[in-house]
Amino acid sequence: MDVSKWPLFYLLSAQELATVRQACVFGTTANEAIYITHGNEVFVLGLNCSSCLGTGDSLSTVMPKKLDFLRGKKVASVSYGSGPHVLLATDDGHLFAWGHNGYSQLGNGSTNPGLSPVLITANLQNKKVKEVSCGSHHSMALTLDGEVFAWGYNNCGQIGSGSTANQPYPRKVTGCLQGKNASGITCGQTSSMALVDNGEVYGWGYNGNGQLGIGNNGNQLTPCRVAALQGMCIQQIVSGYGHCLALTDKGLLYAWGANTYGQLGTGTKSNHLSPVHIMADKERVVEVAACHSTHTSAAKTQSGQVFMWGQCRGQSIVLPHLTHLTNTDDVFACFATPSVMWRLMSMEQDDFLTVAEALRKEFDSPETADLKFSVDGKYIHVHKAVLKIRCEHFRSMFRSQWTEDQQEVIEIGQFSYPVYRSFLQFLYTDTVDLSPEDAIGLLDLATSYCENRLKRLCQQIIKRGITVENAFTLLSAAIRYDAEDLEEFCFRFCINHLTRVTQTEAFWQVDGAMLKEFISKASRCGAFKN
């Protein structure tokens, strides 16, 4: 997974991006983000609407700010509302909240804004929270022992308390859930759903579009079972703004609720008050995705195919559409409005590496290499098979000269260590990271080895790094290595900055023949006209 698909993360450097372990982009315009590093430090950045960044103020920031209050706490679950307000559960079961609090959705008993993360303990003593979910202005928490708590705005009964009075503290949801062990929770804008460990689904709150799936459109002040799913074992349930998706243990997908944008995937825009089976002609579904602040739906199949439907970049897609994306998170990054994350996204690495990643990892690895180059007294460890596959020079060399009993160390004296190492690394990665001055040496090597793509990359590096001080040196190299396009580029640069270039040390150190040729060519171009 790649957080850089979300524009907000372009504010981070490559080094900062490499530290990200978990992330969540949220807000009414997807302009806020929270991320957790591999060292369990929590950072935020963005617009900071309603102080939802938890930095102690209402100032926006394009530079990541650390939430010291949460330092060292491993994050288990994050969710956000429309205010927005933010809930965060740690791995040890603690619940923190901050941001908009006009309806007591933080659960701290007040309606004052939460400028910084505050520990929520009311009615949760000796409870460990493992999952959180936010609606527009209400909140839910699921404990380790399967209890569901809700609080905040309750105009439609979304707290499940039996009334429509707002709830200032976490309150256990009982009724039909009493004695049942909940395994999952999800919130729509003003509705709430719970999944029980036996596969049953319960809903309460606003039901104007049928988002509770109970066969009518009347609001419910206490949990009601979704009877149409009886006999099915639901594994996952997610809520959109006004619709729901449920996935069975057999990989079957059901949808119900609002359908203005085709988010149910039925082929029409008609609401459904009860669950309807969709994607029946597709292979087994293994994951579904939706978010309370969007009208977008997504699903992933067992072979890795990712489908999307609903509101996608302003278009209404009424049937699941096969994408070229690799995960459901990317659907929300690229097509949802706003482009928020539907869950806390994890960049935890598994053991699988692509071919390109594996090659990059094994470059200069003594453990797996079967050949060494010695350059300037330093070793570079490589694999003969890779060199033969990637480079005609080595293919010819090994075919004509190499035998298994030969010493497997090759001495290189023509090129410097940085240049030769960059060349070998290029064969593993297709990339070059050198200064313009070192790129001259690599250009020499690329010319000698007839590596035309590498030659072009070197020329690009030199063009990007040209300055008044090194321009004439680079021009000399371009002429020496017969790089005509680069030669013309450097020549034009020198002409455009002629007075300053002629005052550099490099200009006066060049040999007379080249200096004479440069002056002659410059004269023909009118460089010395008054």
Side-chain angles (χ1 to χ4, degrees), residues 35-103:
Y35 69 90
I36 301 96
T37 68
H38 290 283
N40 290 322
E41 291 186 311
V42 180
F43 290 86
V44 291
L45 73 159
L47 192 58
N48 204 15
C49 182
S50 301
S51 302
C52 64
L53 296 185
T55 53
D57 54 42
S58 58
L59 301 176
S60 62
T61 176
V62 295
M63 299 291 291
K65 286 187 178 180
K66 189 185 299 184
L67 296 185
D68 289 321
F69 192 77
L70 296 172
R71 178 185 294 171
K73 299 182 187 299
K74 193 170 184 180
V75 176
S77 180
V78 169
S79 189
Y80 54 88
S82 298
H85 72 288
V86 179
L87 298 183
L88 182 149
T90 62
D91 204 42
D92 56 6
H94 290 137
L95 173 64
F96 296 88
W98 64 92
H100 190 265
N101 196 30
Y103 302 94

Side-chain angles (χ1 to χ4, degrees), residues 55-257:
T55 53
D57 54 42
S58 58
L59 301 176
S60 62
T61 176
V62 295
M63 299 291 291
K65 286 187 178 180
K66 189 185 299 184
L67 296 185
D68 289 321
F69 192 77
L70 296 172
R71 178 185 294 171
K73 299 182 187 299
K74 193 170 184 180
V75 176
S77 180
V78 169
S79 189
Y80 54 88
S82 298
H85 72 288
V86 179
L87 298 183
L88 182 149
T90 62
D91 204 42
D92 56 6
H94 290 137
L95 173 64
F96 296 88
W98 64 92
H100 190 265
N101 196 30
Y103 302 94
S104 300
Q105 59 263 50
L106 299 188
N108 60 358
S110 80
T111 55
N112 298 323
L115 302 182
S116 301
V118 60
L119 180 65
I120 306 302
T121 59
N123 299 328
L124 293 173
Q125 294 90 346
N126 302 317
K127 304 288 185 183
K128 290 191 173 182
V129 175
K130 70 172 186 177
E131 185 181 349
V132 291
S133 183
C134 297
S136 174
H137 299 291
H138 76 287
S139 304
M140 283 210 297
L142 174 64
T143 67
L144 204 57
D145 53 8
E147 293 179 324
V148 177
F149 288 80
W151 61 98
Y153 198 30
N154 195 30
N155 64 324
C156 300
Q158 56 265 46
I159 303 306
S161 61
S163 77
T164 55
N166 293 348
Q167 176 63 36
Y169 298 103
R171 179 192 182 279
K172 184 178 175 181
V173 181
T174 53
C176 291
L177 285 183
Q178 185 68 39
K180 296 187 181 293
N181 186 33
S183 58
I185 55 174
T186 180
C187 293
Q189 276 284 291
T190 48
S191 60
S192 304
M193 306 293 292
L195 174 63
V196 178
D197 61 359
N198 65 1
E200 296 176 346
V201 175
Y202 292 81
W204 59 98
Y206 182 67
N207 193 33
N209 297 299
Q211 52 261 64
L212 300 186
I214 57 175
N216 62 56
N217 60 0
N219 296 350
Q220 300 297 315
L221 306 185
T222 57
C224 291
R225 184 180 171 191
V226 183
L229 295 176
Q230 185 172 354
M232 304 176 197
C233 183
I234 303 301
Q235 269 191 336
Q236 184 194 1
I237 183 168
V238 291
S239 294
Y241 189 99
H243 75 288
C244 284
L245 304 174
L247 179 64
T248 75
D249 59 349
K250 296 181 179 179
L252 304 179
L253 179 55
Y254 289 83
W256 63 92

